[in-house]
Amino acid sequence: MGRSPCCEKEHTNKGAWTKEEDQRLIAYIRVNGEGCWRSLPKAAGLLRCGKSCRLRWMNYLRPDLKRGNFTDDEDELIIRLHSLLGNKWSLIAGQLPGRTDNEIKNYWNTHIKRKLLSRGMDPHTHRPLTPVDGAAASRPAHIAVPARAAPPTMFAPLTTKQPPMESSSDDGSSGATSTGEPRCPDLNLDLSVGPPAADTPTSHPVCLCRHLGLRGGAVCSCRQADSPGSQGGGFRYFRPLEEGQYI
DNA sequence: AATGTCGTCAACCGCCGCGTG
DNA sequence: ACACGCGGCGGTTGACGACAT
């Protein structure tokens, strides 16, 4: 049998939304607020699947959406967040007010991937392309390539049990550990859009999870985050990048 | 001007995680 | 512990416009 369909497909419209449908959806949500997407279409007089209504609202109709081109700052922030989080578009979108996960995902696939390739970076791993990667990058799109492991593990988090790494000027022999393992590049965790505040310390470590609002979630194991002495409590830290260093 | 190709993006699909009974 | 319903997420598709030939 399997799961029941989310709606009666034979009685629902599909495809592009009309202005009238948009107006109905907006008017309904203005009065009743978001939520209960399953019953919303009927209540709002829409012949649409609840999921479709939610998507339309979230990605297009929400009043707080920022339309228009991405700024360079937003570009860089997306790249940094992607290197940390992988294809977690909703988490990335959470750091860019007014942008949606769908929008960022599209933008990544159409613009940023190419931007990284032009920098000689692998958009999946955020590492410099090797000649082999380069060949892969030029591989015709229809030739499938197995997805690589998600990047989040690429950047081994620093814990307070480890001494902070020396500044990344530890030369760029970089990229390899003494064991010959490729070393994870460091991360610039100034995740704000726009110029940093003058008094913002950029060299001392920050809790990534906390910065991303993930503290207490599955991703973050930080404890006692708000207490000043919490550095010994198991925080995971990341060290910012040096000027001009890419992730 | 007609046709083909490419890039963009809104929308759909199927899966997953969480809450609830 | 289990099944179910729902919302949310990420991958993919397809329509459409811009550009090239």
Side-chain angles (χ1 to χ4, degrees):
Chain A
M1 284 287 281
R3 161 190 305 271
S4 62
C6 71
C7 51
E8 300 172 29
K9 297 192 181 222
E10 61 269 27
H11 294 124
T12 56
N13 292 338
K14 289 174 72 173
W17 280 63
T18 65
K19 282 193 173 182
E20 188 190 340
E21 287 176 314
D22 282 348
Q23 290 310 315
R24 278 179 186 264
L25 182 56
I26 292 169
Y28 181 86
I29 291 178
R30 266 195 196 136
V31 174
N32 301 284
E34 296 178 32
C36 201
W37 295 106
R38 193 179 173 90
S39 61
L40 183 148
K42 197 172 182 181
L46 288 163
L47 294 174
R48 289 277 180 176
C49 167
K51 276 187 170 186
S52 181
C53 294
R54 176 186 163 273
L55 208 67
R56 182 65 176 171
W57 174 256
M58 293 295 191
N59 290 334
Y60 202 81
L61 298 176
R62 257 166 51 200
D64 59 327
L65 289 182
K66 186 197 292 183
R67 315 298 302 181
N69 295 337
F70 283 75
T71 65
D72 286 344
D73 284 339
E74 286 175 315
D75 275 18
E76 293 306 317
L77 179 54
I78 291 169
I79 292 169
R80 286 178 195 169
L81 288 167
H82 185 273
S83 73
L84 281 170
L85 302 168
N87 294 358
K88 300 293 178 188
W89 304 117
S90 60
L91 287 178
I92 294 173
Q95 299 303 309
L96 286 115
R99 301 296 190 185
T100 70
D101 52 356
N102 206 35
E103 189 178 17
I104 292 170
K105 177 172 58 181
N106 283 331
Y107 189 66
W108 176 269
N109 287 325
T110 57
H111 290 87
I112 299 184
K113 262 187 182 176
R114 235 178 301 148
K115 186 173 181 174
L116 287 179
L117 287 172
S118 73
R119 288 179 182 176
M121 305 294 289
D122 185 321
H124 296 287
T125 63
H126 295 262
R127 298 180 186 196
L129 285 170
T130 66
V132 174
D133 288 335
S138 61
R139 180 186 295 124
H142 65 275
I143 299 181
V145 178
R148 301 196 182 217
T153 56
M154 292 170 40
F155 304 104
L158 294 174
T159 69
T160 50
K161 294 185 177 176
Q162 299 172 298
M165 290 198 289
E166 274 314 303
S167 85
S168 50
S169 59
D170 74 323
D171 105 352
S173 52
S174 66
T177 64
S178 58
T179 64
E181 291 277 314
R183 217 196 65 191
C184 299
D186 301 315
L187 230 52
N188 184 341
L189 281 173
D190 175 10
L191 297 178
S192 59
V193 176
D199 60 345
T200 301
T202 56
S203 57
H204 75 72
V206 297
C207 170
L208 168 67
C209 303
R210 192 175 181 210
H211 200 119
L212 294 180
L214 301 174
R215 185 163 57 83
V219 181
C220 179
S221 58
C222 294
R223 299 193 295 271
Q224 305 169 11
D226 294 324
S227 65
S230 62
Q231 288 216 351
F235 274 64
R236 297 188 295 172
Y237 292 115
F238 294 81
R239 181 164 48 85
L241 287 175
E242 293 295 319
E243 179 81 30
Q245 186 177 7
Y246 291 112
I247 42 183

